């Protein structure tokens, strides 16, 4: 056998491994192969070449052969013995001495034989084999060294294997054998290296398996010698490699001769072809092509491209002459590769012109098969043209194949086919080939003129021209636009004659044209929208800015865009007309692909790509069902083509759509089909890994929607895959999908997540759903910026001018990413709205609206307008919300036609000329001026118009006649039948949007007081939801196939759950829960039980329903026992307030009349049933007035005016007007006061001074006009007299009625006093007996009966609320209510909405009380600044993400940093991580871990933290129960409950009075009469002073002691412990003396009345004795002198933060600080470990100031300028606006920042920018309301001061 190819052994190896029965024959074949290899004349290409071929063959054969013979020796021994036979055969056949190839082969096989025998322990046989090798190879020096090394390896294996003797001699022999390695050639060096491997393998085996001592020192020395020799051999081998490399670089002298020889060989091969018969010629041409390619490739692989091209060029030139591609026997690929190598060689050399010539030569060589085989040569032509663009060869860029082939005289049809192929090749390249395509189209349109008869080809060319003109500007070269071109193409396609042959191609081409008609129209609208927005920006920058003295509304106004709706010039009619072309295209493709098989179209790849684009456009327009149809067509076509990856891609998109439609049953079917396709697909394809990871993500999402627990493991697998970090747009989009799914999981209750998943997610920094969604949104925005630039998003950041390149998949990815970013924006806005981060929510919402308007995506516009309306409702902006809803209604129901019907288009002569484009397709920013129509009838710019709220407007126009209210526009959607075929009812998305619109409208009606209309809309919406789902489920089943049952669409689940929650919460909005509440709760909770938990809004709805259920349970419990709500919770508290004496209500009427007469907003009003519940069974039957009086005296809804901190509403102007006083159902101020607090005193008459003074105080200043000059006091007196006359009759009737009611009250007051005295004497009479109240009438309750003794009274039946609660038998109902609250808390605690979470925390704290003071204090600390925590977590995450993003360059950055800088960076990252952990919400809810860790929170000594919150049992009211928590180091938390509803000044009245003072102060600022201004000022000052005194003496009372910091007195604790024991004997059930310690600490502040209140509240059984004990202990403390304590930190909730607590006398001389929450204090404790100014102090010389930046505060500037400028080191800006760089430097580089101007300086740098900074400076803000927080709706207060606080790390 002269030669045995190694590939022949491959199948034999496989069969031997499978158990070949004839093993002896296989071995014989192996021997023959070895013999033939050895006897060959050529040397082996590499050492051990043959051994590597035969190794597995012989090993498997030996193993199987001996297995049958029951031979149990190891397989290595078998293999070694079989090699012995092969070596014997070699010795017999070889010459003596053997030739070099034979000797090398024998040596290699002998080495392998010894290795295998030693491995199995056959050392004797190995030594025998070694002796045979010595005898055969002779005594050559080189072979002797190799054999000596082999012998040393065998000896070493024996010594180490049997553990006998020393290894030193064998190692010494090996080292000596390597001594002559320097003289060996490259081949022998490799043999020596293999021998070294044999030695080291023995050493490694001993080190791995031996348990004995290491080698002795002598052996180690020999080992070192061997290692040195081994390294020498390896070094010599590397030198051989370097030598070949140097020879190649420097040039080998024989290289030219070798090249010439190869060229001669090719020439001889080509000459030999001449004269041969055709059959023989094809045979030898095939061989010649192979030889030529191999010769040329040898040079090409060594980067000798010049030599390679010279060889291949000879062969390629001859192919055309002999028509080589015409031989059917020759595979075209063998000829193609020669041309391919030639073109690539020229490209590598940079000879692009030669490369293009080779492509033309390649193309012409195809001759008769040019249409069949033109794809590859034209593809290389296009690539070379692309290279020419990169190298700047513009002359080559403009060339086309038509010009190059002109000399070859191709027929026209062939030339057209070539040009279309050239066009297709350009489109497949991922680069900007617009210029090349345009030139080719110019040639095509010239050839395919209308006169040529090739109308079909011309139409296809015009469609391609439209694609080019859509994204490139060739206005100078052609007179037509993209739309003109595609319209002309459609006209031509209509005129093409139909036939059976072209039917399918015509359908496809027409569908392609219709698709691009839609795209070109959409691009045109997008371009117009961008230009309109740029013009709006340019105009907006020129307009002046509104001036306000404070910044409370500045940031909110920044979110509004005056030109937002200027682009809404479309509606549903427009959208339907515009989308007709896309719908027609889809219909044509459905017709084309209706039959089985592959259609005959121009390009199947183009058809598939167009269907993908169609589906993406439907997704962009939010038409999911049409997108589903498109992907189904893609699936069918790819399946017919056998494209498994294409089929899997379409199925993945289908699954994604179905999951978005909440249809998991069908999604699972398509996902399983996609996974099956992937199993059959080519795993080496680039798309395989992407689709595999996509399937994992979709499977995880499916598990999440199907309540499967192993979805997190799949998502974790994707997150840990390094491929996810690939830098490609498709992988970025998958990352965004993964992040959105991560946000979905983070929204789930914590029990659904595995610890491993949570740990990994948290390690990535995604601790909240907001952070994950924000990252996804940012990633999608980055893709848009990369593809299209910043103009599409309207970004304010300047980015590089980016031209969209319509190449590759860019067109598809453009529409996909735009649809994804809109979908992600919707989810993000909903999430931010739910957690009440309104500023960011509105920003994302407005950005999405702008994008949707540019795209004229009507469904997205409506969706985001409805979301924005909901955001406005959350802020109580009813007018803005209504306006947004009306805008959405206009889009849905307007019949306006914005565009006239297009004129009939005639033939258009289109003949473009070749040339370069002029520039960008898009217009430059601000380049165009508004057209004439845009300025027509245009009003003034909104910046110049003062913002006036609707309430203020109505108040100012109160003197005008009341006009008939405008009829409200409503969607007619609900009036349509269930099977209505209209577009609103037959479209899934539009139906869903209509329902959401109606629900938002219902919420607005409820907020506006139209309860009947709002509730009707909710019920109608819920009813319609029940019909919409089944209808579209059946439609979806019809589209997907009827083989499966109809899916259950869950798309509207969140809508239905929200509707039930709204119904339940509104049932609690009245005086008592409605009867239908139970029905709503049952229906809502039952529905939620059937829903999947992955919808985030469902958790909030469930929590709301549970809250309503708990509230109803508390109210029912109180109503069953005729007591107050306070009595229900009183048993949990150690202190109960004393009841007022009989004379206190009378005095309260005189002192608190001004406050109680104010009409307050719903959010600042105590619930009418806050402390009074009707008797059981009477809920919902009595619809009384707002304050509990009879219907005849109920307050008119017109008087319920909403107040806010910045409102300019006119107080009670309408109440004081004559018209208002005569209105039916309206109350006089006396009735309002009487019904709200107490009865009027008996001494007050018609003209009593108390009444007169109260009226003047409460309403006098608010009755003044806001504008106009006042002269003297005459006019004022006349107005007052007029008011007195108009009120006289009402006053008389009311006072007579009040006197009658007082007589009824006296008896009940006497009863209360008797019971009180009995309780003081320790009597335990039966509570509530003998009161005579059970028989009272409920039909017409009076003001008196609503206050005392009657069912529904705030006092209830019992004088002691705690005693009443202790006697209640219904504690199980209370436990159930607490269980509902805890369940609701667990639903939302991991990502809580601020308002709901705060109320749950407060109610749980109210129910827990002193039974668990740690949990109570923890809950109250949790209840404040919830939204601020969300904002801070987002800020910290962004800073951490920024640091992580820059970590890739950390090595380069650290080179220039000192050690201190590195430590500072590390500390900063660690500090941010600690902050993130501190402010994160607990994933475990209200668990023991949170409460136990709360004990360690207060770590700062010398600090007393006081948390004050206002609790209400009713969800929508403020309430009057104050919870005060005191926290200090070393002491247990103290929490006291202070119910103020029955006191002289309820907190709701105090808040109302404060709002009134602020409003009147703003009104007084417009007075022009100086005297009147000062009188008003003095009066307001006095009222404010009285209010502050009321806060201290009446609201806090004895518990002002809890606000004082602890004194440094060790005896105080002992005295408190002693007093605790004494009070316990008096009946106090408290065990911790910490409460008494705080009381004794404030001994100097407490009056006897305070001591009396303490005694009665602590020891109601023996109050007199308790009072004596308390007074004695307090007197003792007053005599002792103590050092003043530390500082006080106030943490106030959103209602109480507006009040001036620091101005109370008890705190006036103490350092008082406000913080948003306790966690901020703890964060400052963490800051002390950093290099913060809070730790090291402020350097006064590092100060930056901004003084009077608006240059309109001359007195302020005059006062401070000289001082600021005289301070050493101070720098600043005076009288001008600083730059952004100066502002950032002021906060980042200085220790102190001082601002003295209007507001807080938000106009200089907005709050969002400040919050993102790493502020170093301490900020001192001196401006109007610079630290004020604006409370909007039920949200937390917001202000720029919070941004400064959050940026202070």
């Amino acid at each position: 056998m002269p030669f045995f190819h190694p590939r022949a052994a491959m199948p034999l190896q496989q069969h031997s491994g499978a158990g070949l029965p004839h093993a002896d024959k296989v071995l014989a074949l192996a021997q023959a192969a070895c013999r033939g290899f050895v006897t060959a004349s050529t040397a082996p290409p590499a050492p051990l070449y043959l051994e590597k071929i035969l190794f597995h063959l012989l090993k498997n054969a030996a193993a199987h052969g001996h297995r049958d013979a029951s031979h149990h020796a190891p397989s290595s021994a078998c293999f070694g013995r079989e090699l012995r036979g092969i070596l014997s055969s070699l010795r017999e056949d070889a010459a003596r001495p053997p030739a070099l190839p034979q000797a090398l082969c024998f040596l290699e096989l002998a080495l392998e034989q010894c290795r295998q025998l030693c491995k199995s322990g056959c050392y004797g046989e190995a030594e025998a084999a070694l002796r045979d090798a010595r005898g055969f190879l002779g005594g050559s020096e080189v072979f002797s060294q190799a054999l000596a090394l082999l012998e040393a390896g065998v000896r070493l294996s024996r010594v180490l294997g049997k553990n006998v003797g020393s290894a030193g001699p064998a190692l010494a022999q090996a080292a000596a054998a390597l001594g002559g390695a320097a003289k060996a050639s490259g081949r022998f060096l490799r043999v020596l290296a293999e021998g070294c491997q044999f030695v080291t393998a023995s050493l490694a085996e001993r080190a791995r398996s031996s348990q004995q001592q290491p080698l002795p020192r002598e052996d180690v020395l020999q080992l070192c010698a061997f290692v040195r020799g081994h390294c020498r051999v390896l070094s010599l081998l590397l030198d051989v490699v370097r030598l070949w490399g140097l020879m190649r670089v420097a040039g080998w002298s024989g290289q030219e001769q070798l090249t010439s020889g190869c060229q001669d060989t090719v020439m001889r091969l080509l000459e030999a072809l001449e004269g041969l018969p055709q059959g023989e010629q094809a045979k030898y041409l095939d061989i010649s092509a192979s030889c030529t390619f191999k010769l040329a490739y040898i040079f090409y692989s060594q980067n000798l491209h010049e030599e390679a091209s010279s060889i291949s060029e000879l062969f390629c030139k001859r192919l055309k002459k002999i028509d080589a591609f015409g031989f059917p026997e020759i595979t075209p690929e063998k000829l193609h590769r020669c041309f391919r190598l030639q073109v690539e060689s020229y490209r590598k050399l940079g000879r692009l012109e030669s490369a293009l010539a080779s492509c033309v030569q390649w193309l012409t060589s195809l001759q008769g098969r040019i249409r069949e085989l033109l794809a590859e040569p034209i593809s290389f032509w296009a690539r070379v043209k692309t290279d020419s663009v990169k190298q700047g060869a513009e002359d080559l860029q403009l060339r086309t194949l038509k010009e190059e082939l002109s000399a070859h005289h191709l027929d026209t049809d062939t030339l057209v086919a070539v040009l279309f192929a050239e066009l297709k090749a350009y489109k497949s390249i991922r680069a900007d080939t617009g210029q090349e395509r345009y030139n080719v189209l110019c040639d095509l349109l010239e050839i395919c003129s209308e006169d040529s008869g090739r109308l079909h080809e011309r139409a296809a060319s015009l469609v391609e021209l439209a694609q080019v003109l859509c994204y490139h500007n060739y206005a100078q070269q052609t007179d037509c636009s993209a739309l003109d071109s595609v319209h002309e193409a459609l006209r031509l396609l209509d005129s093409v004659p139909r036939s059976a042959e072209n039917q399918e191609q015509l359908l496809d081409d027409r569908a392609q044209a219709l698709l691009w008609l839609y795209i070109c129209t959409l691009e045109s609208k997008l371009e117009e929208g961008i230009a309109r927005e740029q013009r709006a920006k340019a105009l907006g920058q020129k307009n002046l800015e509104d001036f306000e003295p404070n910044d409370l509304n500045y940031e909110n106004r920044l979110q509004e865009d005056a030109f937002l709706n200027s682009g809404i010039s479309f509606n549903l009619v427009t959208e339907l007309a515009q989308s007709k072309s896309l719908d027609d295209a889809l219909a044509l493709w459905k017709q084309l692909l209706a039959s089985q098989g592959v259609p005959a179209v121009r390009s199947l790849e183009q058809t598939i790509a167009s269907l993908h684009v169609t589906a993406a456009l439907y997704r962009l327009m939010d038409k999911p069902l049409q997108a589903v149809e498109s992907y189904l067509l893609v699936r069918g076509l790819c399946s017919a083509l056998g494209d498994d990856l294409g089929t899997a891609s379409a199925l993945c998109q289908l699954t994604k759509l179905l999951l978005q439609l909440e249809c998991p049953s069908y999604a699972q079917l398509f996902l399983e089909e996609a996974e099956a396709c992937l199993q059959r697909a080519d795993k080496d394809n680039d798309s395989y890994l992407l689709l595999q990871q996509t399937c994992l993500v979709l499977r995880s999402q499916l598990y999440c929607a199907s309540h499967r627990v192993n979805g997190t493991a799949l998502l974790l697998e994707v997150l840990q895959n390094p491929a996810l970090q690939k830098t490609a747009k498709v992988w970025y989009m998958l990352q965004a999908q993964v992040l959105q799914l991560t946000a979905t999981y983070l929204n789930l209750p914590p029990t659904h997540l595995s610890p491993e998943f949570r740990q990994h997610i948290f390690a990535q920094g995604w601790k909240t759903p907001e952070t994950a969604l924000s990252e996804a949104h940012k990633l999608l925005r980055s893709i848009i910026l990369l593809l299209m630039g910043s103009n599409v998003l309207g970004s304010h950041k300047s980015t590089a001018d980016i031209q969209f390149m319509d190449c590759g998949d860019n067109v598809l990815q453009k529409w996909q990413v735009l649809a994804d970013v809109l979908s992600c924006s919707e989810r993000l806005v909903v999430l931010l709205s739910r957690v009440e981060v309104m500023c960011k929510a509105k920003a994302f919402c407005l950005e999405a609206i702008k994008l949707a308007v540019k795209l004229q995506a009507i469904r997205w516009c409506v969706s985001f307008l409805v979301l924005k309306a909901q955001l406005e409702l959350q802020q109580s902006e009813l007018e803005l919300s209504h306006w947004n809803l009306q805008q959405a209604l206009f889009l849905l129901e307007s019949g306006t036609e914005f565009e006239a019907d297009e004129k009939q288009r005639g033939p258009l002569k289109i003949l473009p000329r070749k040339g370069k484009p002029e520039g960008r397709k898009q217009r430059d920013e601000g380049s165009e001026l508004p057209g004439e129509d845009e300025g027509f009838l245009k009003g003034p710019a909104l910046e110049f118009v003062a913002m006036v709220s609707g309430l203020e407007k109505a108040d100012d126009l109160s003197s005008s006649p009341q006009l008939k209210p405008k009829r409200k526009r409503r969607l007619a959607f609900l009036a349509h039948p269930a099977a209505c075929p209209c577009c609103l009812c037959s479209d899934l998305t539009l139906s869903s949007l209509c329902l959401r619109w109606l629900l938002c409208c219902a919420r607005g009606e409820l907020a506006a007081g139209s309860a009947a209309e709002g509730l009707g809309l909710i019920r109608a919406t819920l009813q319609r939801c029940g019909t919409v789902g089944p209808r579209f489920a059946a439609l979806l089943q019809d589209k997907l196939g009827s083989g499966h049952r109809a899916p259950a669409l869950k798309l509207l689940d969140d809508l239905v759950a929200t509707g039930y929650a709204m119904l339940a919460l509104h049932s609690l909005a009245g005086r008592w829960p409605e009867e239908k509440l139970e029905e709503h709760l049952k229906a809502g909770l039952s529905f939620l039980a059937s829903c999947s938990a992955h919808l985030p809004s469902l958790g909030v709805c469930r929590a709301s329903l549970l809250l309503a259920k708990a509230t109803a349970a508390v109210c029912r419990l109180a109503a069953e026992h005729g007591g107050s709500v306070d009595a229900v919770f009183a048993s949990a508290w150690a202190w109960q307030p004393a009841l007022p004496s009989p004379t206190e209500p009378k005095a309260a009427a005189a002192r608190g009349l001004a406050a109680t007469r104010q009409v307050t907003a719903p959010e600042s009003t105590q619930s009418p049933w806050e402390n009074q519940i009707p008797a059981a069974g009477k809920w919902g039957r009595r619809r009384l007035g707002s304050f509990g009086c009879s219907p005849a005296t109920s307050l008119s809804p017109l008087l319920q005016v909403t107040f806010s901190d910045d409102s300019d509403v006119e107080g009670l102007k309408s109440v004081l007007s004559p018209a208002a006083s005569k209105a039916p159902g309206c109350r006089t101020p006396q009735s309002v006061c009487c019904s709200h607090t107490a009865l009027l005193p008996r001494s007050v008459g018609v003209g009593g001074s108390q009444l007169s003074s109260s009226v003047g105080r409460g309403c006098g200043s608010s009755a003044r006009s806001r504008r106009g000059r006042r002269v003297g006091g005459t006019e004022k007196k006349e107005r007052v007299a007029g008011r007195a006359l108009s009120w006289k009759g009402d006053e008389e009737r009311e006072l007579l009625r009040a006197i009658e009611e007082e007589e009824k009250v006296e008896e009940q007051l006497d009863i209360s006093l008797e019971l009180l005295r009995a309780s003081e004497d320790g009597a335990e009479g039966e509570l509530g007996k003998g009161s005579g109240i059970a028989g009272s009438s409920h039909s017409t309750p009076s003001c008196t009966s609503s206050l005392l003794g009657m069912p529904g009274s705030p006092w209830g039946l019992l004088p002691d609320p705690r005693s009443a609660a202790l006697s209640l038998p219904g504690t199980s109902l209370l436990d159930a209510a607490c269980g509902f609250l805890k369940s609701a808390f667990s639903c939302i605690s991991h990502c809580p909405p601020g308002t709901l979470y705060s109320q749950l925390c407060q109610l749980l704290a109210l129910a827990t009380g002193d039974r668990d003071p740690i949990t109570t204090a923890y809950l109250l600390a949790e209840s404040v600044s919830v939204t601020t925590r969300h904002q801070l977590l987002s800020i910290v995450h962004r800073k951490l993400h920024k640091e992580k993003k820059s970590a890739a360059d950390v090595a380069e950055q650290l080179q220039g940093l000192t050690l201190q800088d590195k430590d500072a960076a590390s500390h900063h990252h660690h500090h941010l991580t600690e902050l993130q952990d501190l402010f994160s919400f607990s994933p475990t809810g209200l668990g023991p871990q949170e409460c136990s860790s709360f004990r360690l929170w207060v770590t700062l000594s010398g600090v007393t933290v006081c948390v004050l919150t206002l609790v209400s049992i009713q969800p929508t009211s403020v309430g009057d129960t104050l919870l005060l928590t005191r926290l200090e180091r070393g002491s247990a938390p103290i929490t006291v409950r202070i119910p103020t509803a029955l006191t002289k000044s309820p907190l709701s009245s105090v808040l109302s009075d404060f709002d009134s003072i602020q409003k009147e102060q703003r009104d007084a600022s417009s007075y022009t009469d100086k005297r009147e201004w000062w009188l008003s000022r003095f009066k307001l000052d006095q009222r404010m002073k009285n209010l502050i005194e009321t806060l201290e003496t009446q609201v806090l009372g004895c518990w002002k002691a809890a606000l004082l910091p602890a004194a440094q007195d060790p005896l105080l604790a002992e005295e408190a412990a002693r007093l605790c024991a004494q009070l316990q004997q008096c009946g106090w059930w408290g065990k911790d003396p910490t409460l008494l310690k705080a009381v004794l600490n404030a001994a100097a502040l407490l009056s006897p009345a305070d001591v009396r209140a303490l005694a009665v509240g602590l020891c109601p059984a023996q109050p007199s004795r308790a009072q004596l004990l308390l007074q004695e202990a307090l007197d003792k403390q007053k005599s002792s002198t103590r050092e003043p304590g530390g500082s006080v930190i106030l943490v106030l909730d959103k209602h109480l933060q507006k009040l001036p607590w620091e101005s109370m006398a008890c705190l006036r001389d103490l350092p008082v600080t406000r913080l948003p929450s306790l966690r901020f204090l703890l964060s400052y404790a963490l800051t002390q470990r950093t290099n913060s100014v809070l730790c090291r102090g402020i350097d006064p010389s590092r100060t930056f100031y901004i003084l009077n930046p608006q240059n309109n505060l001359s007195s302020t500037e005059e006062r401070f300028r000289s001082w600021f400028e005289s301070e050493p080191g101070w720098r600043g800006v005076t009288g001008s606006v600083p730059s952004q760089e100066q502002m950032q430097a002021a906060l980042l580089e200085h220790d102190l920042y001082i601002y003295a101007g209007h507001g807080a300086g938000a106009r200089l740098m907005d709050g969002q920018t400040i919050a993102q900074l790493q502020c170093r400076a301490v900020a001192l803000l001196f401006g109007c309301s610079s630290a004020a927080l604006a409370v909007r709706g039920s949200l937390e207060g917001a202000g720029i001061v919070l941004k400064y606080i959050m940026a202070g790390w």
Side-chain angles (χ1 to χ4, degrees), residues 777-846:
H777 189 269
K778 185 188 300 182
L779 201 56
L780 293 171
R781 291 182 89 256
S782 301
I783 301 174
I784 292 177
L785 294 175
L786 182 65
L787 275 174
M788 296 164 272
S790 61
N791 288 335
V792 174
L793 295 174
S795 175
H796 297 287
K797 296 182 179 179
S798 58
T799 57
D801 191 24
I802 297 177
Q803 172 74 43
F804 175 74
M805 293 189 300
D806 56 323
C807 58
D809 295 330
N810 280 3
V811 174
L812 172 62
Q813 291 171 358
K814 174 179 181 177
W815 307 123
Q816 284 179 338
V817 73
L818 286 173
D820 287 345
V821 80
L822 286 170
S823 176
C824 185
S825 297
E826 183 181 44
R827 291 188 58 186
L828 189 55
V829 172
V830 171
L831 173 63
L832 293 172
S833 171
R834 188 168 63 249
V835 298
E836 299 175 357
V837 184
M838 308 307 296
C839 189
K840 288 181 65 176
K842 288 184 69 173
F844 284 115
C845 188
L846 288 169

Side-chain angles (χ1 to χ4, degrees), residues 297-325:
Y297 187 76
I298 291 173
F299 289 94
Y300 184 86
S301 62
Q302 300 297 327
N303 290 332
L304 300 173
H305 302 116
E306 184 69 37
E307 291 76 5
S309 62
S310 64
I311 294 172
S312 61
E313 184 178 8
L314 296 173
F315 182 76
C316 292
K317 284 182 178 179
R318 293 291 298 272
L319 293 182
K320 182 179 179 182
K321 296 180 181 179
I322 59 178
D323 192 14
F325 288 93

Side-chain angles (χ1 to χ4, degrees), residues 56 73 143 184 198 203 209 266 283 389 413 548 602 653 929 1287 1552 1606 1711:
H56 292 287
F143 284 113
F198 179 32
L203 292 169
S209 60
V266 172
K283 177 180 177 181
V389 175
D413 292 338
E548 290 184 4
R602 190 180 305 276
Q653 294 291 344
L929 295 176
W1287 282 49
S1552 179

Side-chain angles (χ1 to χ4, degrees), residues 49-238:
Y49 183 58
L50 179 63
E51 179 269 330
K52 293 174 182 177
I53 297 173
L54 300 177
F55 175 75
H56 292 287
L57 169 68
L58 298 176
K59 183 176 180 180
N60 292 335
H64 284 283
H66 288 281
R67 187 181 301 121
D68 297 335
S70 300
H71 184 72
H72 298 289
S75 60
S76 56
C78 299
F79 182 41
R81 294 188 182 103
E82 298 299 339
L83 284 175
R84 182 192 308 165
I86 296 177
L87 290 172
S88 299
S89 178
L90 285 176
R91 283 197 302 271
E92 293 174 1
D93 297 340
R96 299 296 181 92
L100 182 60
Q102 296 172 337
L104 286 173
C105 182
F106 190 92
L107 181 60
E108 292 167 0
L109 291 175
L111 174 62
E112 183 61 30
Q113 182 187 17
C114 292
R115 180 186 287 121
Q116 296 297 328
L117 291 172
C118 290
K119 186 176 181 181
S120 60
C122 304
Y123 304 111
E125 296 182 28
E127 292 172 349
L130 184 60
R131 288 193 296 271
D132 292 343
R134 284 185 182 279
F136 177 71
L137 295 176
S140 172
E141 180 180 358
V142 177
F143 284 113
S144 63
Q145 292 175 355
L147 291 172
L149 182 60
L150 183 58
E151 182 182 3
V154 174
R155 291 177 60 191
L156 183 63
S157 296
R158 176 188 286 275
V159 170
L160 297 179
K162 293 188 175 183
N163 197 20
V164 292
S166 172
L171 291 172
Q173 182 182 0
L178 296 175
K183 301 178 183 178
S185 64
R187 294 178 179 178
F188 286 101
L189 283 175
R190 292 186 176 92
V191 173
L192 292 176
E194 290 291 334
C196 292
Q197 289 282 353
F198 179 32
V199 175
T200 54
S202 301
L203 292 169
E205 182 66 25
R206 181 185 188 279
R208 181 170 57 252
S209 60
S210 177
Q211 302 296 327
Q212 310 211 354
Q213 297 293 327
L215 295 174
R217 286 179 294 181
E218 296 78 8
D219 294 353
V220 172
L221 292 176
Q222 302 302 328
L223 176 61
C224 292
F226 166 73
V227 171
R228 283 195 296 270
H230 191 187
C231 292
R232 192 182 306 113
V233 171
L234 295 177
S235 177
L236 291 171
L237 281 172
L238 290 174

Side-chain angles (χ1 to χ4, degrees), residues 900-916:
D901 295 336
E902 294 188 4
K903 299 177 181 179
Q904 187 68 30
R905 293 176 179 266
L908 183 64
K909 186 175 182 180
I910 299 176
L911 187 61
R913 301 173 297 279
K914 292 183 180 180
K916 300 287 288 184

Side-chain angles (χ1 to χ4, degrees), residues 1241-1255:
R1242 192 185 299 270
S1243 60
V1244 178
V1246 177
S1249 60
Q1250 291 178 336
L1251 179 62
S1252 301
S1253 62
S1254 298
V1255 172

